[in-house]
């Protein structure tokens, strides 16, 4: 008996793969899914960065309160580094032992060349992960140096007004100086009349400010705030007083509102959506919105009640 052989023709083989139309449909579906997913991913990443920023500010608040317990005052906005000198150290240098940087604090105390040695030292606790920052920036000379700053610089630089440019480490957080611009104030507290208040914030250079001096209470008074590098690069280390916007590299002013288009370079800003994070004097961290009422915003930054 002969076995029948079945031959499969080419025409009977079912087709494999996708047609062009099917590929287009798949690509379109993937594109739609990505359009939905990418904003979610970006939002999740920014939420994580904002949470990190808030956590760092809270840690900074713990350090400030530890310093206050030890010194019975808040950190001074700036102080002259080994006078006579045209370099002023920033308020954050006073917190170095409290934030685990005792070796840097020791270096600042004992080495005359410590400023140059620390010019590229970044402190992670002072850098907001949402900001687009460079580890260092160049401080350029100011074309409108105040007479006091010029005299200070000339006294130690052999008659030269400044040693510019200088490299400084970047920081995202600056002390709240109040509603006045720090770079328009005198540099020391000598011969200041008690009735004159050139500064009205909490992190200042001309007054010894304690928690007891905050007339509206620490929960309603700003202590430290954010500033983006795009606004003006800031630093934790300190500045030469003849540098451009020198004191504003260390402290900020609450004159208008965060992130406003017309804001002065000394004001506060952030890359967080809707506002900027602030550390308040009682240690809590809260975002102040871009739409905050200016009068209320200014009140938050002042140590006294009006």
């Amino acid at each position: 008996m002969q076995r029948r052989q079945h031959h499969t023709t080419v025409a009977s083989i079912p087709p494999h793969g996708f047609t062009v139309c099917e590929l287009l449909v798949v690509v379109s579906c993937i594109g739609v899914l990505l359009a939905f997913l990418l904003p979610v991913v970006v939002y999740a990443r920014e939420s994580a960065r904002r949470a990190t920023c808030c956590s760092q500010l809270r840690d900074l608040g713990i350090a400030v309160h530890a310093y206050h317990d030890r010194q019975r005052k808040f950190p001074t906005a700036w102080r002259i580094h080994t006078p006579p000198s045209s370099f002023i150290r920033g308020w954050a240098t006073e917190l170095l032992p409290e934030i685990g940087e005792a070796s840097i604090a020791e270096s600042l105390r004992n080495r005359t060349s410590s400023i140059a040695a620390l010019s590229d030292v970044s402190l992670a606790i002072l850098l907001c992960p949402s900001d687009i920052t460079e580890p260092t920036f160049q401080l350029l000379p100011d074309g409108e140096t105040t007479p006091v700053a010029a005299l200070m610089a000339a006294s130690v630089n052999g008659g030269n007004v400044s040693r510019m440019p200088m490299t400084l480490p970047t920081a995202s957080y600056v002390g709240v100086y109040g509603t006045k611009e720090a770079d328009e104030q005198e540099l020391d507290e000598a011969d200041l009349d008690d009735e004159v208040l050139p500064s009205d914030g909490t992190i200042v250079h001309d007054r010894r400010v304690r928690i007891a001096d905050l007339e509206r209470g620490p929960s309603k008074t700003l202590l430290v705030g954010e500033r983006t590098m795009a606004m003006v690069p800031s630093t934790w280390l300190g500045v030469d007083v003849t540098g451009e916007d020198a004191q504003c590299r260390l402290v900020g002013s609450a004159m208008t509102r965060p992130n406003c288009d017309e804001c002065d370079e000394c004001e506060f800003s952030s890359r967080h959506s809707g506002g900027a994070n602030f550390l308040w004097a009682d240690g809590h961290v809260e975002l102040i919105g871009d739409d905050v009422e200016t009068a209320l915003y200014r009140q938050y930054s002042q140590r006294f009640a009006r």
Side-chain angles (χ1 to χ4, degrees):
M1 187 174 180
Q2 292 185 347
R3 182 181 298 174
R4 291 185 179 182
Q5 295 182 351
H6 297 278
H7 299 282
T8 303
T9 62
V10 175
S12 65
I13 299 175
H16 294 283
F18 294 100
T19 65
V20 174
C21 182
E22 289 171 332
L23 284 174
L24 290 175
V25 170
V26 171
V27 170
S28 299
C29 291
I30 293 174
V32 171
L33 289 173
L34 288 176
F36 281 112
L37 289 175
L38 280 178
V40 175
V41 173
V42 171
Y43 178 79
R45 292 182 65 184
E46 171 54 24
S47 295
R49 289 170 180 159
R50 180 182 292 190
T52 300
C53 178
C54 291
S55 177
Q56 291 177 174
L57 281 170
R58 290 190 193 97
D59 290 342
L60 201 57
I62 294 172
V64 171
H65 277 264
Y67 177 88
H68 188 283
D69 291 344
R70 180 163 55 87
Q71 299 289 341
R72 297 295 186 265
K73 69 183 183 71
F74 288 113
T76 304
W78 62 76
R79 62 175 66 250
I80 298 173
H81 180 65
T82 57
S85 171
S86 62
F87 190 88
I88 52 175
R89 286 169 45 185
W91 59 274
T93 61
E94 297 190 42
L95 301 178
L96 289 170
E98 279 74 22
I99 62 175
E101 300 293 348
S103 60
I104 297 179
E106 188 66 24
S107 175
L108 283 171
R109 281 194 295 268
N110 297 335
R111 292 176 54 188
T112 57
S113 61
S114 59
I115 300 302
L118 297 173
S119 63
D120 60 349
V121 176
S122 293
L123 299 179
I125 191 175
L126 297 173
L127 291 171
C128 174
S130 291
D131 194 16
I132 302 173
T133 62
E134 296 292 334
T136 62
F137 67 93
Q138 292 287 309
L139 181 66
L140 302 176
D142 192 345
E144 300 180 356
T145 301
T146 64
V148 173
L151 287 173
M152 287 179 63
S155 67
V156 293
N157 295 341
N160 297 320
V161 173
S162 64
R163 297 174 178 175
M164 297 290 160
M166 68 184 309
T167 301
L168 294 170
T170 304
S172 302
Y173 309 128
V174 291
V176 176
Y177 193 76
T179 62
K180 310 297 178 65
E181 290 189 67
D183 58 356
E184 294 183 356
Q185 309 302 320
E186 295 297 334
L187 290 170
D188 57 41
E189 54 187 87
D191 299 325
L192 283 174
D193 190 331
D194 288 339
E195 299 299 321
V196 179
L197 291 176
S199 66
D200 55 0
T202 308
I203 304 296
V204 298
H205 73 295
D206 53 2
R207 293 290 187 278
R208 180 185 178 94
V209 181
R210 304 162 300 165
I211 290 179
D213 297 322
L214 308 181
E215 296 181 5
R216 284 174 295 101
S219 64
K220 296 182 180 179
T221 308
L222 298 175
L223 191 64
V224 176
E226 293 186 87
R227 182 190 291 146
T228 63
M229 194 172 190
M231 177 74 85
V232 61
S234 305
T235 185
W236 63 267
L237 180 58
V239 292
D240 190 296
V241 295
T242 60
E244 184 179 22
D245 301 316
Q247 293 96 308
C248 283
R249 310 293 181 140
L250 307 172
V251 292
S253 306
M255 296 182 291
T256 315
R257 60 188 181 278
N259 298 313
C260 65
D261 294 334
E262 68 273 23
C263 276
D264 182 85
E265 68 275 2
C266 292
E267 297 202 48
F268 297 93
S269 62
S270 83
R271 291 187 179 274
H272 305 307
S273 176
N277 286 323
F278 284 85
L279 169 67
W280 299 67
D282 67 343
H284 86 276
V285 176
E286 183 180 343
L287 183 133
I288 293 184
D290 297 338
D291 57 352
V292 65
E293 184 182 346
T294 297
L296 181 61
Y297 181 49
R298 291 169 65 88
Q299 287 177 11
Y300 286 152
S301 73
Q302 294 172 321
R303 64 178 177 267
F304 47 80
R306 281 182 173 174

